[in-house]
Amino acid sequence: MHEMECRVLSIQSHVVRGYVGNKSASFPLQVLGFEVDSINSVQFSNHTGYSHWKGQVLTADELHVLYEGIKLNNVNHYDYVLTGYTRDTSFLEMVVDIVQELKRANPNLVYVCDPVLGDHGSMYVPQILHPVYKNKVVPVADIITPNQFEAELLTGKNISTEKDAVEVMDLLHQMGPDTVVITSSDLPSRLGDRFLVSLGSQRIVMPDGTRKTQRIRMEVPKVDAVFVGTGDLFAAMLLAWTHHFPTDLKMACEKTFSVMHHVIKRTISYAHKMAGPGRRPTPAQLELRMVQSKADIEDPAIVIEATVL
């Protein structure tokens, strides 16, 4: 008997040119054998880091209409839901309704949520989204990938030590998700200031019913460039690799962070080659080299190792 197909409903942005949102998530998931059903929460010409961008935004009602179509045909059966950047509360609340309905149809459904609120102390979505994520979204999520700022916002607790980070991750577990990865933090790295620290925590129910928590820490090389779409790629890859290693967060994170490293490295060297010596690469030159990284996505050489805390 062949393994049942794994089907992902990905509700994210779409851009004509470049890689953010669904463009960042679909190809890598498909390469890894997942069926990806995409709902495009926006359709823009390109990401908003360019000087110009044009396009349309999907409303909560339009999202509902698309989901109704899927449901009427009785094909609303998913193993995963994946969501990222959203600016609209009613849209986000509709996503929660859809996730809850899909979970009733399949209690094993895993909802992977990147709770995008902001970074480095400032919010880049409307303030009103914060309570929606905190009270409605995170409680139905199974895997979340906040950065330090988002983890602090969601728990109301600051992180200044590794112990704080562990406490924040425990608080996030109590809110719902069994898997939490703090994708980047300001904690000092053991490898010096050219590295940043990421942390992960996974609650597992053992066969005998007892609970155990695996916590890990990674030292990730910093990159001196602004990339767009990396968070979306990260969440997609964490979905894929936790699917392959459901009780081994260390392995799943090593694979995920290593993919990120390979894609970013390829992108940087391309951008600098295109820009020429001493010139800053443009947003167009810094688009992720996704298609060119197909082999790394399929089978990443492990270049970032996790330490079990």
Side-chain angles (χ1 to χ4, degrees):
M1 177 71 190
H2 67 283
E3 195 191 353
M4 279 298 290
E5 309 234 294
C6 218
R7 205 169 266 280
V8 181
L9 178 63
S10 182
I11 308 174
Q12 299 193 67
S13 317
H14 171 78
V15 286
V16 176
R17 186 206 168 94
Y19 293 95
V20 297
N22 273 334
K23 285 282 292 288
S24 229
S26 312
F27 174 74
L29 284 169
Q30 288 166 330
V31 158
L32 291 168
F34 292 82
E35 281 287 351
V36 183
D37 291 7
S38 304
I39 294 181
N40 297 329
S41 56
V42 308
Q43 171 164 264
F44 284 172
S45 51
N46 45 265
H47 72 67
T48 56
Y50 286 72
S51 343
H52 307 278
W53 47 275
K54 299 272 184 200
Q56 300 82 35
V57 176
L58 196 73
T59 66
D61 287 341
E62 289 165 337
L63 168 62
H64 184 64
V65 166
L66 289 174
Y67 176 69
E68 280 299 303
I70 295 288
K71 197 165 113 183
L72 286 169
N73 290 309
N74 196 30
V75 287
N76 57 336
H77 302 290
Y78 291 96
D79 304 291
Y80 288 90
V81 174
L82 176 61
T83 66
Y85 179 76
T86 312
R87 290 193 62 83
D88 180 42
T89 46
S90 56
F91 191 91
L92 197 51
E93 286 170 340
M94 182 64 69
V95 167
V96 172
D97 291 345
I98 291 170
V99 169
Q100 285 174 319
E101 187 167 313
L102 291 173
K103 282 193 169 192
R104 287 193 289 273
N106 173 17
N108 295 320
L109 180 140
V110 172
Y111 173 26
V112 180
C113 171
D114 185 1
V116 180
L117 291 165
D119 204 356
H120 300 120
S122 63
M123 287 184 68
Y124 41 62
V125 302
Q127 209 95 35
I128 185 79
L129 267 76
H130 175 222
V132 181
Y133 272 111
K134 185 173 176 166
N135 303 321
K136 296 183 179 173
V137 182
V138 173
V140 296
D142 301 283
I143 299 176
I144 58 170
T145 58
N147 56 35
Q148 175 176 331
F149 175 65
E150 290 157 347
E152 291 173 333
L153 265 184
L154 291 168
T155 57
K157 183 176 164 55
N158 274 21
I159 297 174
S160 40
T161 64
E162 189 181 277
K163 183 174 168 288
D164 292 337
V166 168
E167 284 172 18
V168 163
M169 291 190 293
D170 284 344
L171 286 169
L172 289 166
H173 287 317
Q174 287 167 32
M175 292 166 70
D178 280 336
T179 302
V180 174
V181 177
I182 298 179
T183 53
S184 62
S185 77
D186 300 327
L187 295 178
S189 166
R190 289 159 196 169
L191 299 177
D193 59 8
R194 294 179 54 197
F195 288 78
L196 60 80
V197 175
S198 299
L199 299 124
S201 180
Q202 184 171 52
R203 269 197 319 202
I204 303 162
V205 178
M206 304 302 283
D208 64 357
T210 57
R211 282 202 164 158
K212 84 180 216 308
T213 306
Q214 186 192 45
R215 300 187 182 91
I216 57 161
R217 152 176 187 136
M218 277 145 301
E219 322 283 319
V220 184
K222 283 181 184 170
V223 281
D224 180 32
V226 177
F227 295 101
V228 182
T230 46
D232 307 319
L233 175 61
F234 183 89
M237 293 299 85
L238 190 64
L239 183 162
W241 293 111
T242 51
H243 177 74
H244 290 294
F245 303 102
T247 58
D248 187 357
L249 185 63
K250 179 182 190 293
M251 189 64 180
C253 280
E254 287 175 347
K255 293 270 193 189
T256 300
F257 277 96
S258 294
V259 171
M260 300 305 299
H261 178 83
H262 296 305
V263 173
I264 286 170
K265 230 180 136 172
R266 180 172 285 107
T267 303
I268 282 185
S269 61
Y270 173 81
H272 285 307
K273 195 179 83 194
M274 294 306 287
R279 300 190 59 172
R280 279 193 91 78
T282 63
Q285 291 164 341
L286 283 167
E287 290 284 6
L288 296 180
R289 301 293 283 166
M290 195 72 79
V291 171
Q292 297 78 4
S293 301
K294 176 173 166 284
D296 291 319
I297 292 164
E298 287 179 280
D299 185 21
I302 303 298
V303 290
I304 293 175
E305 298 204 355
T307 322
V308 178
L309 297 181

